[in-house]
Amino acid sequence: MIFRGMKRLKNISEKDGKINNGNISELLNNEILTPEQVKDVRVSSALEENLCFLQDLLGHNKDVIIRRILLGTSPHIASALIYIEGLVDKAILNNNIMKSLMIEIHEESCGSDPRHLREYLLKTALTVSNLKNTHQMNEIAISILSGDVVLMVEGVDDAVIINIRGHKEKAISEPESEVLVRGPREGFTETLETNISLVRRKLKSPNLSFDDMLIGKITLTEVSVVYLKGLASPDLVEEVKQRLQRIEIDGILESGYLEEFIEDNPYSPFPQMHHTERPDRIVAGLLEGRVAIMTDGTPFVLMVPAEITSFLTSPEDYYERYYLGTLILWVRYISFGISLVLPSFYIAITTFHQEMIPTRLLISIASYRQGLPFSTLLEALLMELTFEVLREAGTRLPRAVGQAVSIVGALVIGQAAVQAGIVSPLMVIIVAFTGIASFTNPSYNLGITMRFLRFPLMFLAGMLGLFGVMFGIVMIHIHVAQIRSFGLPYLSSLSPLHWSDLKDVLVRGPWWSMDTRPRELGERNRRRQVPGLKPSPPRADKVGGN
Amino acid sequence: MMIRRIFVTFLIIMLTISSGCWDRRELDDLGIVNGIGIESAPGGKIRIIAQTLNTTAIVRGTGGGGAGTTFQKAYRNTVAEGNSLQDAIDNLTKVTPIERFFSHNNVVIVSEELARKRGIRDITDFLERNPELRLDPWLIIGRGSLVSLMDQPGRITLIPTQRINSYMKINKISASFAPLNVGQFIRLMQSPCCQPYTAVIETGPNESLSAEPGHDLASGVVPEPVNQIMVNGTAVFKEDKMVGWLNAAESRGLLWVRGEVKQGNINFPIPGEEEKSAETSILKSWSKIEPSIKDGQVSITVHIKVNTYLIEIQGNIDPEMTAALKRLEASQEAAISREIEATLKKAQGEYNADIFGFGEAIHRSYPAEWKQLEAQWDEVFPGLQVQIKVESSIRHTSLIEKPAEPAEE
């Protein structure tokens, strides 16, 4: 359909630049039209023709404003401003465009020469900073739909695109999904321009590049590939762009759409790229040679490539003292393991390997299992399921009601179930601890992976005991060892092992010791800082005086 | 391709299911056996007493004396007979329908009568062969009826076998008996160079039972037991049969030679005032068995080094401390020597059982000569020349030097 439509459009445009408006309305009624399809339509020198075309293309909607004005006094030159209500900054439109064009314009300047007029408009009349001119109708359409104002003048065969976008947007606030005790409090917003400025403010480097593209045939979502030239590998940047360009989808509402189109292993349960609301996290990644993908309309910015250990680090590790950073890092590693295997380990040990439990603990567990109706596996599954239900309910409900859920959950699950003899108190402890351990994960996406993988492991544990758990862990390991994220092995810096990178993995090295960037990412420019920056007390002979 | 993939998946699933351990059992279905007793039954049979824990009673208390609560025993003994140990264990289920779980077994008590007459080779074979049983429970000789021995609840540790386990663990404090666990026992038993030994337990009257049960507390929920379990010396084995018994002092003689005295006290007369004695506490001890063969004559020198400190002294102490301690040390060394000599006399003279591991020491130092000695070790051992050299030092006199004297008017 689209191809046929395009052909028809081509036919239209080929008739000496004459546009047959009837065809467009007909097309719009029958299929999804994208500005791309009017690529070959050029701006005509006849203003009314252009306006008719745009009116047809953009539809007779209330928010599409076509404001006809006359330039100069003798002769009057017909011209029009086209924009969409609500997407432009009205104050600027009124004061700097309308006023300039309608009042302050010098009459003698409006000669009959269209080229002269265009030059005059661009260079003298319009007191707006961001201008460009084009004769591509599709570009004009996209600009209008994105919030630009387009000025068309009778007799001039191109249009001026004036960028005075100013729609309502959320103020910059603290990211809710990634809360830090110490660290910047600002988070990305839904507007791409704001997000770009947030990154730019932290990274005042001429090397910082934003490569834009539009994805989504209907939504025409702006996507920006952000990287540091000279640091990020050009192959990586090229790969990211190619994968993004491949996407032909009607709409992109969130960066999650993109994620699924560009990841290396579509069937893997493991997240293969970071998403974050924190500009500092993005900047830290850019400084390591990573590439960020910003999507208009969502505060979640993607960052590639990602390896498993970087999902377990939080920006705060690098802001607090390194001893604490290292301790917290290990707490997270341990909780990561616990959140994955604790329930299955408990099931395996209590149903297959009772000899492994210390006698006193065994007595205690056995006494509490006395008279319970379900097997340990079923008990654990029930509890985990309940926990997931509570968690989901707590997330979905408005915050005020969410608290009630947690109270009910704690009372019902923690107390009543035990008293009623449905579950053993130990199982409650296990499930609760697993849940709490999973909350220590700083990356929400890796956290859901663990939640998901816990269940097959529990089944394996219930059927085969520790053998099953080990089988599951080995399987996960094999999988994790083979997947890559944009060419970077997922277990990178552990396997393949790079000793110098373990300063970010086994410990959080003090900043004065982290002279080099990660091996696989920052290959092009490995030195991060001058070595030997370790502070030390001033030497006696340098203190002077005494 | 698809069929092949399905086939491989199927194979993997079959592999895990068919080879996996399908011995899943829930904890509440298990009877956790904490100790077993083995005695001989009439007709060449074996009787087994399994002590199963009542987990609910242990964890939630045994009643505690509150009104309306019923007393629950923290353990249950089940007795069954059989032609073999496994047969007897299987017969246990006829008495109590529960799957017994032996991995948490702490003690294996063998009746003295069985150990003396029948030998315990069958038992050690079973204990070693069965995958569920471990080699770390204590192997102990029980005197008298095992049924009554294993039904003597402690007052704080309610379970008799746990109480026995605790006895064996605190052996290091008193060093008055020498327990071995199953693995150690088997190792000594199968070694040609030494003989096994282990601790002996028996029932004795409970001294703390008051003659007139005046208050309700004692006669209430948990009555003060009439009898209690006691450890009484060490059993000496010759191969797999028990041949003799060592009392507390002789047991320590054995432990001195084996270098296993970690703690304990030494009581010895004060030189010059023989009716009064001093008591020292052992800090550390070392032993070294040094064999020598000269002209075909085998002799053994046992070097023992002991560090102690003075913990109690009767009468006065010489103001000249250094000299006084020297004299005390000499008396202490003599006391240790006497203990060892008594043990040696019994082991060599009465039982002819090399429980000290002298043979092992010779084997190590003179491997070539040992080959000839090995066959006639039973004849050589009783007449073996053993020299004991004790070197002791009293490191300090605790908090005070001289005892407080009542002031003379």
Side-chain angles (χ1 to χ4, degrees):
Chain A
M1 271 304 266
I2 291 170
F3 288 113
R4 239 188 315 141
M6 277 179 74
K7 229 177 244 169
R8 235 187 301 171
L9 267 177
K10 260 184 192 166
N11 293 341
I12 301 161
S13 59
E14 273 160 14
K15 286 181 208 162
D16 311 325
K18 294 252 178 198
I19 301 161
N20 191 331
N21 297 327
N23 283 345
I24 290 183
S25 317
E26 192 192 315
L27 264 175
L28 282 170
N29 283 336
N30 293 324
E31 62 185 80
I32 302 294
L33 193 70
T34 63
E36 194 65 11
Q37 280 166 273
V38 294
K39 196 167 64 183
D40 298 319
V41 183
R42 296 172 69 95
V43 178
S44 138
S45 53
L47 177 67
E48 277 312 311
E49 240 174 66
N50 290 334
L51 292 182
C52 278
F53 180 80
L54 281 175
Q55 186 91 63
D56 278 341
L57 192 64
L58 302 175
H60 297 264
N61 296 318
K62 196 174 148 194
D63 61 339
V64 180
I65 311 287
I66 297 179
R67 173 76 159 89
R68 288 179 171 79
I69 52 174
L70 294 174
L71 301 181
T73 45
S74 57
H76 293 297
I77 302 167
S79 63
L81 288 164
I82 308 114
Y83 64 96
I84 290 181
E85 180 100 54
L87 293 187
V88 299
D89 190 328
K90 267 212 172 142
I92 303 176
L93 180 65
N94 291 340
N95 294 334
N96 300 54
I97 300 174
M98 305 283 269
K99 206 170 162 192
S100 307
L101 291 175
M102 296 168 79
I103 302 170
E104 289 163 5
I105 204 155
H106 297 290
E107 292 170 25
E108 64 271 21
S109 309
C110 310
S112 50
D113 185 3
R115 195 178 299 158
H116 182 70
L117 179 63
R118 183 208 301 149
E119 286 299 301
Y120 175 75
L121 284 173
L122 282 176
K123 292 190 174 154
T124 315
L126 291 167
T127 53
V128 179
S129 54
N130 194 342
L131 293 178
K132 64 176 174 179
N133 61 328
T134 181
H135 48 256
Q136 294 276 355
M137 211 42 129
N138 67 324
E139 204 176 324
I140 292 168
I142 292 170
S143 296
I144 294 171
L145 291 170
S146 309
D148 293 338
V149 177
V150 169
L151 172 65
M152 285 177 154
V153 183
E154 172 76 47
V156 180
D157 63 351
D158 59 4
V160 185
I161 297 172
I162 309 159
N163 184 346
I164 48 163
R165 293 184 194 182
H167 55 84
K168 293 272 180 294
E169 65 171 280
K170 199 180 77 182
I172 294 171
S173 61
E174 190 173 1
E176 277 185 20
S177 66
E178 292 158 276
V179 183
L180 299 188
V181 175
R182 178 174 179 177
R185 292 271 184 267
E186 61 188 9
F188 287 125
T189 68
E190 279 79 1
T191 317
L192 183 64
E193 281 82 11
T194 315
N195 294 351
I196 286 174
S197 72
L198 281 174
V199 172
R200 183 68 88 176
R201 255 177 46 206
K202 286 185 187 294
L203 210 58
K204 301 166 192 73
S205 162
N207 288 49
L208 181 62
S209 308
F210 298 91
D211 290 358
D212 296 330
M213 56 184 72
L214 288 175
I215 301 176
K217 277 186 172 320
I218 301 177
T219 58
L220 292 175
T221 310
E222 282 173 81
V223 172
S224 194
V225 178
V226 191
Y227 58 98
L228 273 172
K229 258 187 213 156
L231 191 52
S233 143
D235 294 342
L236 173 65
V237 176
E238 198 45 45
E239 180 68 28
V240 172
K241 285 194 211 157
Q242 269 181 14
R243 290 193 193 179
L244 285 172
Q245 271 152 4
R246 250 192 72 237
I247 304 173
E248 282 196 32
I249 186 178
D250 53 356
I252 298 285
L253 296 184
E254 217 279 334
S255 48
Y257 284 40
L258 295 178
E259 191 174 341
E260 288 184 16
F261 278 110
I262 62 174
E263 64 191 0
D264 293 51
N265 310 276
Y267 293 118
S268 171
F270 282 87
Q272 290 147 53
M273 55 198 78
H274 294 290
H275 65 70
T276 179
E277 286 187 80
R278 302 196 66 90
D280 52 332
R281 203 161 174 205
I282 290 295
V283 171
L286 293 177
L287 284 171
E288 286 178 338
R290 295 181 211 265
V291 174
I293 302 162
M294 290 179 160
T295 314
D296 193 29
T298 175
F300 287 95
V301 176
L302 301 176
M303 188 161 68
V304 293
E307 71 275 19
I308 194 159
T309 49
S310 62
F311 282 103
L312 291 168
T313 52
S314 157
E316 199 168 353
D317 300 350
Y318 293 89
Y319 304 153
E320 278 296 347
R321 289 189 65 75
Y322 58 90
Y323 290 125
L324 188 74
T326 306
L327 174 75
I328 301 283
L329 194 62
W330 277 98
V331 166
R332 263 190 236 121
Y333 287 159
I334 294 165
S335 330
F336 177 70
I338 286 173
S339 70
L340 181 62
V341 297
L342 186 65
S344 43
F345 198 72
Y346 177 79
I347 295 170
I349 288 209
T350 53
T351 51
F352 286 91
H353 315 283
Q354 292 92 352
E355 65 277 1
M356 286 177 70
I357 313 170
T359 309
R360 273 157 211 263
L361 184 61
L362 179 82
I363 292 171
S364 170
I365 300 174
S367 84
Y368 283 115
R369 270 212 58 81
Q370 226 47 260
L372 292 189
F374 304 120
S375 70
T376 312
L377 173 64
L378 199 59
E379 193 188 347
L381 283 174
L382 267 174
M383 285 302 287
E384 281 291 344
L385 189 72
T386 320
F387 178 73
E388 292 297 328
V389 168
L390 277 172
R391 188 166 163 167
E392 187 59 18
T395 321
R396 296 299 150 230
L397 275 172
R399 207 160 288 174
V401 194
Q403 279 195 340
V405 170
S406 60
I407 292 167
V408 169
L411 280 178
V412 169
I413 307 308
Q415 201 111 32
V418 171
Q419 277 180 359
I422 296 169
V423 290
S424 73
L426 260 126
M427 183 57 80
V428 177
I429 295 173
I430 296 284
V431 171
F433 189 56
T434 312
I436 290 169
S438 73
F439 291 141
T440 62
N441 199 326
S443 304
Y444 185 70
N445 44 2
L446 191 64
I448 7 190
T449 306
M450 293 300 111
R451 270 159 79 180
F452 165 72
L453 288 177
R454 203 182 292 155
F455 288 93
L457 277 181
M458 277 158 69
F459 275 110
L460 279 171
M463 286 194 298
L464 303 170
L466 273 188
F467 172 75
V469 178
M470 281 320 290
F471 179 78
I473 290 174
V474 167
M475 278 303 178
I476 292 172
H477 220 93
I478 290 173
H479 173 71
V480 165
Q482 66 151 4
I483 63 175
R484 280 164 181 267
S485 166
F486 283 82
L488 182 75
Y490 203 52
L491 291 178
S492 185
S493 69
L494 287 172
S495 148
L497 182 66
H498 297 301
W499 286 102
S500 62
D501 291 354
L502 295 185
K503 62 186 185 300
D504 284 312
V505 175
L506 295 185
V507 293
R508 198 286 266 177
W511 270 112
W512 39 260
S513 76
M514 297 207 276
D515 303 334
T516 53
R517 293 180 219 284
R519 183 68 168 277
E520 305 254 358
L521 292 164
E523 190 60 69
R524 298 182 73 210
N525 193 341
R526 285 216 64 202
R527 193 143 292 288
R528 183 186 264 148
Q529 63 201 20
V530 213
L533 287 179
K534 180 183 168 190
S536 56
R539 276 171 42 195
D541 55 326
K542 283 193 176 173
V543 173
N546 38 10
Chain B
M1 195 59 208
M2 199 60 202
I3 292 173
R4 204 175 134 179
R5 197 171 278 186
I6 290 169
F7 182 67
V8 169
T9 318
F10 176 75
L11 272 188
I12 290 175
I13 291 170
M14 284 316 289
L15 195 74
T16 55
I17 292 177
S18 56
S19 66
C21 17
W22 272 107
D23 53 352
R24 190 179 81 87
R25 45 194 172 181
E26 292 293 340
L27 271 179
D28 41 333
D29 300 333
L30 290 182
I32 303 163
V33 177
N34 201 57
I36 48 177
I38 303 164
E39 20 176 56
S40 46
K45 286 190 171 185
I46 279 185
R47 180 187 294 137
I48 187 161
I49 303 137
Q51 186 154 94
T52 313
L53 300 180
N54 181 353
T55 55
T56 321
I58 296 169
V59 174
R60 298 187 195 164
T62 52
T69 52
T70 50
F71 172 70
Q72 271 201 313
K73 214 169 165 180
Y75 62 93
R76 287 285 166 190
N77 288 348
T78 325
V79 184
E81 287 177 12
N83 295 320
S84 66
L85 272 171
Q86 187 60 51
D87 187 31
I89 287 173
D90 289 347
N91 285 339
L92 285 172
T93 47
K94 290 179 186 165
V95 191
T96 324
I98 197 164
E99 189 184 344
R100 276 173 186 77
F101 184 62
F102 288 94
S103 286
H104 285 267
N105 191 11
N106 278 333
V107 286
V108 176
I109 307 167
V110 180
S111 78
E112 184 177 7
E113 182 258 334
L114 187 148
R116 277 190 191 273
K117 288 192 183 139
R118 189 169 163 153
I120 62 169
R121 187 167 291 155
D122 310 345
I123 296 166
T124 54
D125 171 73
F126 176 77
L127 296 176
E128 206 179 3
R129 199 179 293 278
N130 192 314
E132 205 176 89
L133 285 158
R134 298 183 182 193
L135 293 180
D136 65 346
W138 304 104
L139 184 65
I140 303 165
I141 296 301
R143 272 192 178 156
S145 155
L146 292 193
V147 173
S148 85
L149 185 67
M150 287 175 74
D151 201 11
Q152 300 297 336
R155 277 138 295 172
I156 292 160
T157 313
L158 288 170
I159 299 134
T161 45
Q162 269 185 9
R163 192 172 155 86
I164 295 168
N165 185 28
S166 311
Y167 269 127
M168 299 304 143
K169 277 187 185 160
I170 62 157
N171 166 42
K172 59 170 199 268
I173 292 179
S174 63
S176 62
F177 52 94
L180 287 184
N181 65 31
V182 175
Q184 292 165 330
F185 189 91
I186 292 173
R187 197 180 65 77
L188 289 185
M189 193 176 82
Q190 58 186 197
S191 159
C193 339
C194 37
Q195 300 297 341
Y197 54 88
T198 194
V200 175
I201 52 168
E202 60 185 29
T203 325
N206 179 6
E207 306 280 346
S208 60
L209 180 69
S210 51
E212 58 286 332
H215 51 79
D216 280 354
L217 198 67
S219 57
V221 190
V222 186
E224 191 72 19
V226 179
N227 291 323
Q228 63 183 6
I229 303 166
M230 301 189 302
V231 188
N232 189 4
T234 305
V236 176
F237 279 72
K238 178 89 179 172
E239 284 158 4
D240 71 322
K241 282 200 174 75
M242 178 176 164
V243 289
W245 177 76
L246 303 174
N247 66 21
E250 292 157 353
S251 298
R252 191 157 75 177
L254 169 65
L255 291 173
W256 281 124
V257 178
R258 295 195 69 95
E260 283 167 19
V261 178
K262 303 287 178 222
Q263 261 177 299
N265 302 313
I266 308 166
N267 188 284
F268 52 89
I270 300 170
E273 302 170 86
E274 303 300 334
E275 74 284 357
K276 288 178 175 171
S277 67
E279 185 99 11
T280 52
S281 214
I282 301 161
L283 284 167
K284 213 169 181 186
S285 87
W286 299 265
S287 83
K288 197 183 162 202
I289 301 171
E290 198 183 315
S292 72
I293 302 181
K294 269 186 194 150
D295 314 326
Q297 195 64 37
V298 190
S299 68
I300 299 272
T301 314
V302 181
H303 295 275
I304 289 172
K305 220 173 132 190
V306 191
N307 284 352
T308 61
Y309 62 93
L310 192 66
I311 193 75
E312 217 176 315
I313 191 159
Q314 294 170 355
N316 213 336
I317 193 165
D318 200 309
E320 192 60 55
M321 281 301 290
T322 325
L325 287 181
K326 278 268 175 293
R327 284 198 294 279
L328 289 176
E329 277 169 6
S331 177
Q332 173 177 268
E333 282 159 18
I336 295 170
S337 290
R338 277 199 298 280
E339 282 181 3
I340 299 172
E341 271 156 13
T343 319
L344 273 172
K345 202 177 145 202
K346 266 197 167 176
Q348 281 185 302
E350 282 185 45
Y351 310 137
N352 188 13
D354 178 13
I355 46 181
F356 307 101
F358 290 154
E360 207 172 354
I362 297 170
H363 189 181
R364 230 175 262 150
S365 307
Y366 300 95
E369 286 84 344
W370 173 253
K371 273 182 190 152
Q372 300 161 4
L373 263 175
E374 189 179 340
Q376 43 184 331
W377 185 237
D378 271 0
E379 287 91 66
V380 177
F381 179 71
L384 192 68
Q385 284 297 315
V386 182
Q387 218 183 348
I388 300 152
K389 285 188 176 165
V390 186
E391 196 184 314
S392 79
S393 89
I394 299 175
R395 306 308 284 239
H396 61 83
T397 59
S398 296
L399 294 183
I400 53 167
E401 283 190 349
K402 285 167 213 159
E405 289 288 335
E408 283 172 37
E409 293 292 320

